[in-house]
Amino acid sequence: MATTAALHAHAPQGFIRKYIFSLDHKVIGLQYYFLALVAVFVGMALSLLMRIHMIWPTAVLPLIGEIKPETYLSLLTMHGTIMVFFVLTTAPQGGFGNYFLPIQIGAPDMAFPVLNMLSFWTTFVGFVVLIAAFFVSGGAPLHGWTGYTPLSALPSAGPGEQLGADLWITSIAIFCIASLMGALNFITTTLDLRAKGMSMMRMPLTCWAWFITAILGLLAFGVLLSAGILLLLDRNLGTSFYVPLVVVNGQIMAHKGGSPLLWQHLFWFFGHPEVYIAILPGMGVASQILSTFSRKPIFGYKAMVYAIMAIGLLGFMVWGHHMFMSGMSPYSAFAFSVMTMAIGVPSAIKTFNWLGTLYKGRIRFQTPMLFAIGFVSMFVSGGLSGPFLAQPVLDIPLHDTAFVVAHFHLIMGVAAIFGIFAATYYWFPKMFGRMMNETLGKVHFFATLIGTYCIFMPMHYLGLAAQPRRYSQFTEVAYLHRLIPLNEFITYVAIITVAAQFIFLFNLFWSMKKGAKASDNPWEATTLEWSTATPPPHDNFGGHTPVVNHGPYEYNVPGAPRDYIMQTDPVTAEAH
Amino acid sequence: MGLALLVVIWLITFFSTYFFAAKTWYLPTGMSAATAGIDHQFAVTFLLMGIVFVLAQGALGLFVWRYRDQGAATRVQYSHGNTKLEVLWTTLTAIMFIGLNLMGSPIWAAERFAPAQAGAVPVEVTGMQFAWYFRYAGVDGKFGRTDPKLQDASAGNESAIGLDTTDPAAKDDVVTGTMYLPVNREVDLTLRAEDVIHSFFVPSMRFKQDAVPGLAIHMHFTPTQTGDYEIACAELCGLGHYKMHGMLHVVSQEDFDKWLAAREAEKQ
Ligand code: HEM
Ligand SMILES: [Cu+2]
Ligand SMILES: [Cu+2]
């Protein structure tokens, strides 16, 4: 990697090269992080508008006016798309992965710094294109984040399905390209740039998670990209990949012979691995933090690594569980269902290992640890509704109801967000050289834990009671009337919980300026990022290359002089 | 802090489980032959997952409190894991998950592999933005031809699905916006959609199936109680999705015959 070395001989000067078009993976990581931060607040605001419309359909809001049913669906589409792509794929992987993968494996930068910069700026353009959909005539599309065809393929099928839908697809296509570049970079970096002594099985579990996530991304985003291009062709050049002969508003459309289910297969071939792309980095972070703050080695390191691999592999064989009610062959439903149940096994293994890590530890309760514990709790709650939805028979009552909304928010949304919060509180001292405020952190944690449970747990009940998802109001179907009080409760809690996120925002920016100065290793952790300066110098280790002598989670090793052995400590410190 | 976590996690676990178990908001009472099987499978799954949920959250709460840092006296067990335990819990979860799955599959097979029995009432369901139409084959038992060019949603019923009245088999076809079915007799459904995907969802019948443009999907169910049941659309189909709603009236065979005859007469 002579080029990498040359590029990093000395840090670039000047604002633009240093902070805007930077090649430094740390700056790029922060860029990703702040993009996701903007996105998550936009996404949250949209969800509040949705919740408000659901219970007060005719309310006139200041600035926004009255939300119409079609506007509700635009909010829904944008909320889902922003959250899945620009928050959950962006912060854990692009943000923290970029910043800490090279440091944790002892590399001076990513393998391809220019590609890294390009991939961030491409993501940024994708975000701008998506937001632009709000401002074009017709507004943002109403077809949901899954964009099922033919609804998403026919400009006359509804408001927002004109230019807004084209922008939506274009944005996703751009995002796919960016993610493919990122994935290549992560894979190469992990394979080629590990420091001396950093064997694969000595990597922190975070690195394993980023590595497998990158492989999933490489295989999944290519498929979504192709699917999106075909959809653009259907919409603009009159092809019929996804559209059979249909009549919309009394007009016969100029399509024939296409298959609506083709889109679903392609979309979910990407979509299911995508949920693991969102959650695997969180699992890595949770493992890292649980071990550090329990002052104990992670329970079953090898089992954890194999579980990540198994999840990655099986993740590509279960996409049909989203299609049990779609008209797909009922025989294949049987196969998809068995595979889905099988993927529950490695997920359960991870949970047991986290509990095993806490068992007989000496637990410290700083905020990163609280969020890691919250992550485990959310992962259990969200994970256990999976085996319901994995059974085609139970999908008959539950598919496309609020039960599904509850399931994926807990396991993918909230759990991954907890992972992001945990990572933020954990690595903030390294990134900014100061500590975040603990009191604010704890208040933020409890408000968010209780709040998100109160929002999403009741949605299971609504789903059981047959409330379909993506309904903007509950006035038209009589059996939904009795569910309105519970929906009101959810909306009230959502308002409070969103408000509590400003505590975090305040803490984040206030601590950057005013937080207590952080030492190089405030958590007494073992991995490589804690052995370098705070914040890390431009080439990460200040001119020398670290040598790794130990596994990643050596806490309370009998006979060792202190309760942790850093990966770079000399060999003699190890007891066995 | 450990105690606070324990209390919060345990309270969350208690309330979550309580509202499931108390059935405060629950599956609507099922009124079809499939109900018993589906609800039983649900109950078994709920019981097993409920136990795992309570045990896992319970242990999480307990461990964080019990193993909190209490100063130098706290002894930490240095351990990288336990292969026997890993094998044990991997096997147990695998057996539980795959077992559950196998238990449920005969019910799925009965619902979806086998076609409707002879003597079932044929009904064609057509979804369009934002209404459901139901077609009955009439005395000849055959559905007549439809033609997209003849579709006129504003005229409703027969015209809405583009029935071609020049086809002799179409003469006695009846199309309505409300579904009538005789009780205790299977219905042989054909599901279609004209424009985008819709989903025919009748919670009380434990029935759901997407209606997909370009496909004619065959399904069946058997209502077992007379009464009025709501039909909802469960697949996002556009701005009127939330009000794409219909009614199913399950009546005695006699009343069903009378109703159909009256509709036939109206048509003439
Ligand atoms: C403040 C917290 C949040 C609230 C109150 C909230 C609320 C909602 C609501 C009301 C819906 C619409 C459900 C429906 O009508 O079917 C929804 C959909 C969705 N949400 Fe959230 N959400 C939140 C956070 C998140 C997060 C963190 C994610 C990240 C994964 C997320 C991802 C999604 C997705 C993918 C959809 C589906 C969109 C679609 O159906 O096309 N949400 N959310
Ligand atoms: Cu999936
Ligand atoms: Cu619909």
Side-chain angles (χ1 to χ4, degrees), chain A residues 337 353 391 399 479 554, chain B residues 41 78 86 101 208 230 233:
Chain A
S337 150
N353 282 325
Q391 298 180 58
H399 175 69
Y479 76 77
E554 293 297 343
Chain B
Q41 185 67 17
Y78 177 77
E86 299 278 357
N101 193 287
K208 181 184 290 131
E230 286 188 282
C233 176

Side-chain angles (χ1 to χ4, degrees), chain A residues 40 43-48 50-52 54 72-73 75-85 87-88 142-147 278 400-402 405 408-409 411-417 452 455-456 459 467-472 474 490-491 493-495 497-498 501, chain B residues 236:
Chain A
V40 79
M44 254 181 353
L46 301 182
S47 73
L48 270 194
M50 281 152 66
R51 288 286 349 158
I52 288 170
M54 279 169 142
Y72 174 87
L73 293 175
L75 297 171
L76 170 82
T77 308
M78 298 293 268
H79 165 77
T81 309
I82 289 174
M83 288 298 196
V84 171
F85 292 96
V87 179
L88 297 189
L142 48 63
H143 53 229
W145 88 280
T146 51
D400 262 340
T401 64
V405 181
F408 74 72
H409 272 97
I411 190 96
M412 174 177 81
V414 183
I417 294 277
T452 44
I455 296 171
F456 295 113
M459 288 192 193
Q467 177 178 310
R469 73 188 271 206
R470 295 166 168 175
Y471 269 32
S472 58
F474 309 112
I490 294 175
T491 299
V493 183
I495 294 172
T497 311
V498 168
Q501 301 317 306
Chain B
L236 176 56

Side-chain angles (χ1 to χ4, degrees), chain B residues 198-210:
Chain B
H198 304 272
S199 190
F200 189 67
F201 182 26
V202 198
S204 306
M205 295 294 129
R206 295 290 182 274
F207 186 86
K208 181 184 290 131
Q209 172 60 49
D210 287 5

Side-chain angles (χ1 to χ4, degrees), chain A residues 340-345 348 384 387, chain B residues 49 52 92-102:
Chain A
T340 306
M341 285 303 219
I343 210 171
V345 177
L384 286 172
Chain B
M49 295 305 125
V52 179
L92 285 183
T93 355
I95 292 175
M96 178 170 74
F97 283 1
I98 306 290
L100 253 184
N101 193 287
L102 293 179

Side-chain angles (χ1 to χ4, degrees), chain B residues 233 235 237 241:
Chain B
C233 176
E235 185 60 74
C237 54
H241 175 48

Side-chain angles (χ1 to χ4, degrees), chain A residues 69-70 73 76 142-144 148-151 154 157 159 244-249 252 260-261 264 295-301 303 324-327 330-331 333-334 337-338 341-342 344-345 348-349 352-353 355 358-365 370 373 376-377 380-381 384 387-388 390-401 403 442 445-446 449-450 453 457 460-461 464-466 468-473 476-479 482-483 486 553-558 576, chain B residues 1-2 4-5 8-9 12 15-20 24-28 38-39 41-42 45-46 49 52-57 59-60 63-65 67-82 85-86 89-90 93-94 96-98 100-102 104-105 107-108 111-114 129-130 148-149 151 153 193-197 199 201 203 206-215 217 230-245:
Chain A
E70 56 268 37
L73 293 175
L76 170 82
L142 48 63
H143 53 229
Y148 275 18
T149 55
L151 182 59
L154 301 168
L245 178 69
V246 290
V247 182
V248 178
N249 291 326
I252 301 185
L261 291 193
Q264 294 184 28
R295 314 309 293 162
K296 254 191 83 192
I298 190 84
F299 194 92
Y301 175 87
F324 291 147
M325 301 297 125
S326 69
Y331 299 100
F334 183 66
S337 150
V338 174
M341 285 303 219
V345 177
I349 294 175
F352 290 132
N353 282 325
L355 291 176
L358 293 169
Y359 180 73
K360 297 206 172 165
R362 188 197 292 149
I363 301 171
R364 300 175 178 173
F365 293 108
L370 296 182
I373 293 167
V376 176
S377 177
V380 169
S381 303
L384 286 172
F388 289 81
Q391 298 180 58
V393 259
L394 299 188
D395 237 26
I396 297 174
L398 299 179
H399 175 69
D400 262 340
T401 64
F403 192 91
K442 291 191 165 111
F445 167 74
F446 280 104
L449 181 79
I450 297 170
Y453 263 118
M457 193 51 81
H460 292 99
Y461 315 140
L464 285 184
R469 73 188 271 206
R470 295 166 168 175
Y471 269 32
S472 58
Q473 328 177 353
E476 303 297 314
V477 178
Y479 76 77
R482 77 182 188 95
L483 304 178
L486 188 53
Y553 304 115
E554 293 297 343
Y555 294 98
N556 276 300
V557 182
H576 62 273
Chain B
M1 192 48 58
L5 269 172
V8 170
I9 293 176
I12 288 170
F15 282 111
S16 304
T17 323
Y18 172 79
F19 287 113
F20 268 110
T24 320
W25 299 273
Y26 204 65
L27 298 165
I38 295 177
D39 288 14
Q41 185 67 17
F42 182 85
T45 309
F46 173 65
M49 295 305 125
V52 179
F53 176 71
V54 172
L55 287 181
Q57 302 283 11
L60 181 65
F63 288 3
V64 295
W65 168 73
Y67 301 113
R68 68 198 181 282
D69 187 354
Q70 291 168 301
T74 336
R75 293 282 294 272
V76 177
Q77 188 189 54
Y78 177 77
S79 148
H80 281 279
N82 181 326
L85 269 181
E86 299 278 357
W89 61 48
T90 306
T93 355
M96 178 170 74
F97 283 1
I98 306 290
L100 253 184
N101 193 287
L102 293 179
S105 41
I107 312 169
W108 176 249
E111 290 301 307
R112 306 278 158 140
F113 291 1
Q129 289 180 332
F130 298 97
K149 286 199 229 30
Q151 274 177 27
E194 278 187 4
D195 36 34
V196 301
I197 301 177
S199 190
F201 182 26
R206 295 290 182 274
F207 186 86
K208 181 184 290 131
Q209 172 60 49
D210 287 5
V212 183
L215 297 182
I217 297 172
E230 286 188 282
I231 301 164
C233 176
E235 185 60 74
L236 176 56
C237 54
L239 64 94
H241 175 48
Y242 72 101
K243 56 181 177 194
M244 183 166 162
H245 155 261

